[in-house]
Amino acid sequence: MTVEFKDRLNEELNQFSIKLEDSQIIQFYEYYEILVEWNKVMNLTAITEQNEVITKHFVDSLALIKSVEEISLNPYRIIDIGTGAGFPGIPLKIAFPQLKVTLMDSLNKRVKFLNEVIEKLELKQIQAVHSRAEDLGREKEYREKYDLSVSRAVANLSTLSEYCMPFVKPGGYFISYKSGKIEEELTSAKHAIFLLSGKVSGVESFTLDGADAERTLVKIEKVNEISKKYPRKAGVPAKEPLK
């Protein structure tokens, strides 16, 4: 771990009042090193410069604390849908080790990468699952079993809600990480969210200290059990978003 890495990460996390132990910072640095190494042979991220990874992947992932202020205190079950290279799930697990985390991705190569990170960082109570959200969301072991479902995946909010809401237990939340202005997208997704037994309970917009881009966390509460109709078959939520 370099001094520059440690100082930059600590400085940027000050905006969220997150304090890490040195052992956690070392885990973040090891994660960064594994990410850059694997990225040479497979496309995990377009962002590989150290400071950009800190800001746009690590700190952005931990911004969830703006929407779930008590996240550091509770052993929440959390599922990260379309996790890709592990964002936001792995940074959340490193920073808040009491969380019980499931990482889901549809590409097996990425799941192998995630398992290597989990093993090398010696993370406990975290698993990587190879599946599509539409399939996993119908499995008894995963359906309506989570306090929180999160996603930084790029898709419209209607589609993402259909992917993520089936995993959330009533009283839990789906939180979508979004960039830029989202008012229009939010308005067009409201009926879909209603159909999926949800209601928007918070919209948190902010700018990360190390980047200019505007970020938004959309917090959707699961009000009741979801209809057995959802999620629809694989591929349908993306092609025909609920209206």
Side-chain angles (χ1 to χ4, degrees):
M1 176 181 67
T2 65
V3 175
E4 292 83 2
F5 183 92
K6 178 180 177 178
D7 289 348
R8 174 81 179 216
L9 184 57
N10 278 331
E11 186 185 325
E12 291 202 22
L13 287 177
N14 278 340
Q15 67 190 294
F16 303 126
S17 301
I18 295 173
K19 300 273 187 278
L20 298 177
E21 304 285 340
D22 278 354
S23 58
Q24 292 168 297
I25 296 169
I26 289 167
Q27 286 179 311
F28 271 111
Y29 189 70
E30 288 177 352
Y31 183 16
Y32 166 69
E33 289 191 309
I34 301 166
L35 177 70
V36 171
E37 198 55 41
W38 274 67
N39 208 58
K40 291 173 184 171
V41 292
M42 63 181 283
N43 182 27
L44 287 166
T45 176
I47 298 166
T48 54
E49 193 275 320
Q50 182 174 288
N51 286 346
E52 284 202 44
V53 170
I54 289 172
T55 304
K56 295 179 180 175
H57 284 327
F58 296 166
V59 177
D60 184 61
S61 293
L62 298 182
L64 186 71
I65 199 168
K66 286 184 76 69
S67 200
V68 189
E69 292 175 9
E70 71 287 359
I71 194 163
S72 64
L73 306 172
N74 292 289
Y76 288 138
R77 286 196 75 193
I78 181 168
I79 186 165
D80 178 6
I81 301 297
T83 187
F87 308 118
I90 291 177
L92 288 168
K93 178 63 187 176
I94 295 171
F96 311 118
Q98 85 288 352
L99 296 174
K100 299 176 179 73
V101 179
T102 301
L103 309 168
M104 191 223 78
D105 200 84
S106 61
L107 198 63
N108 201 37
K109 283 194 296 187
R110 286 198 286 257
V111 172
K112 285 180 179 169
F113 162 76
L114 297 169
N115 280 324
E116 170 140 333
V117 174
I118 290 166
E119 189 181 333
K120 290 206 167 161
L121 272 52
E122 298 182 357
L123 300 173
K124 308 296 181 210
Q125 293 192 306
I126 180 169
Q127 61 170 339
V129 180
H130 175 228
S131 183
R132 292 184 69 140
E134 301 97 318
D135 299 326
L136 201 69
R138 289 197 164 276
E139 290 190 21
K140 194 176 174 185
E141 187 186 342
Y142 298 93
R143 188 175 177 88
E144 298 191 316
K145 292 291 192 288
Y146 292 87
D147 303 294
L148 298 170
S149 175
V150 294
S151 185
R152 285 208 326 166
V154 179
N156 72 69
L157 194 55
S158 294
T159 300
L160 273 178
S161 295
E162 189 168 354
Y163 290 157
C164 295
M165 290 293 282
F167 295 97
V168 183
K169 62 189 187 187
Y173 296 90
F174 158 46
I175 297 157
S176 175
Y177 289 66
K178 288 284 180 183
S179 57
K181 305 287 181 200
I182 60 122
E183 290 82 0
E184 202 176 305
E185 185 179 348
L186 194 54
T187 301
S188 64
K190 280 212 165 145
H191 190 246
I193 290 166
F194 169 75
L195 291 174
L196 297 160
S197 302
K199 69 170 184 185
V200 176
S201 69
V203 179
E204 196 77 50
S205 293
F206 58 96
T207 306
L208 294 169
D209 283 355
D212 296 332
E214 191 176 337
R215 305 290 289 144
T216 301
L217 294 166
V218 181
K219 187 176 186 180
I220 298 168
E221 184 181 355
K222 182 75 162 285
V223 182
N224 296 304
E225 287 185 5
I226 200 166
S227 164
K228 289 186 170 62
K229 288 191 286 193
Y230 306 115
R232 291 169 294 166
K233 286 182 182 171
V236 177
K239 285 185 195 139
E240 301 167 25
L242 291 169
K243 290 191 167 54

